[in-house]
Amino acid sequence: MLDPLFRQALQEALGRYPTPFYAYDWGRVAAQVARLREAFPFARLFYALKANPRLGLLRRLRALGLGAEAVSVGEVLRAYWAGFPPEGVVWNGPVKTEEALAAVRERSPVVVLDSEGDLKRVARHLPGARVLLRVNPDLPVRTHGHLATGRGESQFGVLPEAVPRLVRLAQEKGLHFLGLHLHLGSALEEAGDFLQGYRVLEALYPQVGPVAVLDLGGGFGLRLDLKALAGPLEALARLYGAEVWLEPGRYLVAEAGILVVRVVGVKATRRRYLLLDGGMTSLLRPALYGARHPVLPLYPREGREAGVFDLAGPACEAGDVLARDVPLPVPEEGEALAFLEAGAYGASMALTYLDTPRPLELLWTGEGWEVLREREPLEGLWEGE
Ligand SMILES: Cc1ncc(COP(=O)(O)O)c(C=O)c1O
C-alpha cells in the first residue's frame, strides 16, 4: 500500500499536473535498497536501468553507493551521464554491435560476454576490457516465458558445458576475466529457482574457479523470500573466493511507482468499461504479458454505488485493457485511479504508438514533487521526419 504522506501528496499533484502521469515515492525506493542490503550485506548492488532509467532516480541511487547495470549502449551512456564511473557500470545483452562497442572504446564498462561471437567482437574493439561470462544455466525457471532468460531455449548466455572453454578463450584474447554472470529471469517468486541456479555455478567451480566476481543478476520478485537465498549465496561466493554482485531492478522501484489516470467516461457493451485517459502506451505490461497491477481509486468511496469494470485505455486496440473485472466504487467523469506496482518496466516501456506522448514522471521526495521527466510535447513526435 501507499505511504500516507505520498497518498496525500497525490491529491496535490492531481491539482497541478496533467494525467496520465507516473508518480514515484523516493522513500520507498530507499527502503527497498536498505532491505536488499540487510539481506545481502556482503553484496555490491548494480541497479538495472531498464526497470526505470530516469536520471533523477539514477543520481540518487548512485549517491546511495549503487552501481548501474545496462543492457544497451544507450543505457551505458545514460549511466555515465548520471555520474556512474565505468567500473561501476555492467553492460549486458546478447547483441553489442561494432558501432556500440566503438562508442565506449575510451571508457569501457564491465562487459558481460554473451556468446563466442560476442567475446571475439569485444576482444577486438575493447582490448583488455574487464569482462564477465554469462552462464545460461538451462533451468525451467518459473515465471512468464517472456521473462525467463535462464531457460536453455532462451537466447541468453552460454550453456554450462561451453563455459570452461570460453573462459580460457577470453583470457587468451587478452580480456581481463573477472568472473561469471547468472541472470535467471525477472519477477521470480520462488527461492528454489535461484538455488538451482547457484548449484549450476557450484558444479562449474572445479573447471572455472576461483574467480574475483560472481554477478548473480537480478530478478527478485516482490514477494520472494530473500532470507532463503542469503546463506547459499554467501556459501557459493566463499567457494569461489569471489565478491558478489547483484543487479536488482524491479525489487527496488516497482512498488514505489504508480500510474495515475483519469476516468473519461463509463460505457457498456457486453461488458462494463471505464474509459481512461491512459492505457497500454503508458503501461504496456498487461498487454505484453498479462501483468496484473492492483488498482486504487483516488476518489471518495462513501455513498458510491459499487461496480465491476474493465479498465480500457484510449488506443484503438481491443488489447488496450489495463485490468479486467475490477470492483470499484462508481466514479464520476474526471476522477482519478492509480495502477500500483508500476514503478518498474512502466515508464521505461512506454510507447509513442498512435502519436501518444509518453507521460509525465514525478518524484515525491518526501518534501515536494520533482519533475523527473516532462510529458513529451506532441510536436516532438513528428520531429526528424
Ligand atoms: C541481465 C539482467 N540483469 C538484471 C535485470 C533486472 O531484473 P529485475 O528487474 O527483475 O530485477 C534484468 C532484467 O531483465 C536483466 O536482463
Side-chain angles (χ1 to χ4, degrees):
M1 275 297 114
L2 304 180
D3 175 78
L5 252 186
F6 177 63
R7 174 84 171 73
Q8 202 181 319
L10 277 175
Q11 293 305 332
E12 185 216 337
L14 273 166
R16 259 168 76 185
Y17 300 106
T19 51
F21 62 76
Y22 277 96
Y24 311 106
D25 179 358
W26 170 250
R28 194 70 177 260
V29 179
Q32 289 297 92
V33 171
R35 278 176 77 178
L36 264 192
R37 283 192 162 147
E38 196 186 326
F40 308 121
F42 46 85
R44 247 180 102 181
L45 303 181
F46 294 75
Y47 170 63
L49 262 68
K50 57 147 73 96
N52 188 315
R54 295 287 79 83
L55 292 171
L57 283 177
L58 298 186
R59 292 193 181 116
R60 285 179 166 86
L61 289 167
R62 178 175 58 80
L64 289 184
L66 279 79
E69 189 265 348
V71 289
S72 70
V73 70
E75 285 192 347
V76 172
L77 298 179
R78 178 181 281 270
Y80 289 170
W81 187 252
F84 291 93
E87 62 277 11
V89 179
V90 177
W91 182 14
N92 264 293
V95 177
K96 304 179 192 78
T97 64
E98 308 223 325
E99 187 186 353
L101 291 163
V104 297
R105 200 182 164 94
E106 301 303 318
R107 299 180 79 204
S108 176
V110 176
V111 184
V112 183
L113 308 174
D114 204 85
S115 64
E116 183 166 347
D118 192 42
L119 184 161
K120 289 178 177 165
R121 271 187 297 279
V122 170
R124 242 186 354 263
H125 287 271
L126 305 174
R130 285 150 304 154
V131 297
L132 298 161
L133 179 66
R134 180 163 177 171
V135 180
N136 178 327
D138 194 8
L139 292 170
V141 188
R142 284 163 287 182
T143 187
H144 190 284
H146 288 10
L147 305 179
T149 52
R151 292 187 189 160
E153 65 264 23
S154 90
Q155 67 272 45
F156 298 99
V158 301
L159 292 169
E161 57 268 28
V163 168
R165 182 178 68 80
L166 291 181
V167 168
R168 279 194 303 278
L169 185 63
Q171 287 161 338
E172 282 160 24
K173 295 271 177 198
L175 290 166
H176 180 169
F177 176 71
L178 290 180
L180 300 178
H181 180 281
L182 178 76
H183 174 72
L184 297 162
S186 201
L188 305 182
E189 300 291 349
E190 306 285 341
D193 285 326
F194 288 90
L195 302 184
Q196 279 190 37
Y198 302 164
R199 266 180 238 123
V200 172
L201 294 192
E202 198 183 305
L204 281 167
Y205 176 76
Q207 294 156 282
V208 179
V211 301
V213 173
L214 287 180
D215 180 335
L216 300 170
F220 309 113
L222 302 180
R223 284 157 273 275
L224 177 70
D225 176 12
L226 297 180
K227 284 201 187 82
L229 301 189
L233 206 157
E234 201 173 3
L236 181 68
R238 219 175 305 118
L239 170 70
Y240 269 90
E243 181 177 45
V244 173
W245 294 4
L246 298 172
E247 302 172 351
R250 177 187 313 280
Y251 193 82
L252 297 186
V253 294
E255 288 171 312
I258 64 176
L259 174 68
V260 177
V261 299
R262 283 188 194 275
V263 176
V264 176
V266 185
K267 174 172 181 177
T269 54
R270 295 278 181 225
R271 294 186 64 88
R272 202 164 173 214
Y273 284 95
L274 294 185
L275 304 174
L276 310 175
D277 63 1
M280 64 185 284
T281 63
S282 297
L283 181 61
L284 187 60
R285 301 182 72 248
L288 189 64
Y289 35 66
R292 287 166 192 229
H293 291 268
V295 180
L296 180 72
L298 299 177
Y299 51 86
R301 297 157 194 257
E302 297 79 40
R304 298 293 177 95
E305 212 183 298
V308 175
F309 299 98
D310 291 350
L311 308 183
C316 277
E317 294 272 347
D320 190 7
V321 178
L322 292 183
R324 290 204 185 269
D325 291 319
V326 184
L328 282 172
V330 178
E332 289 171 13
E333 277 182 25
E335 288 184 321
L337 294 174
F339 290 88
L340 309 185
E341 297 178 11
Y345 307 102
S348 61
M349 282 191 179
L351 308 170
T352 57
Y353 180 47
L354 308 174
D355 275 336
T356 310
R358 286 174 293 176
L360 170 73
E361 290 177 69
L362 299 169
L363 184 73
W364 173 247
T365 63
E367 280 159 18
W369 287 105
E370 184 177 309
V371 174
L372 286 184
R373 188 175 197 268
E374 304 275 1
R375 175 159 74 174
E376 224 164 12
L378 268 175
E379 304 73 36
L381 297 174
W382 40 89
E383 224 169 58
E385 293 185 27

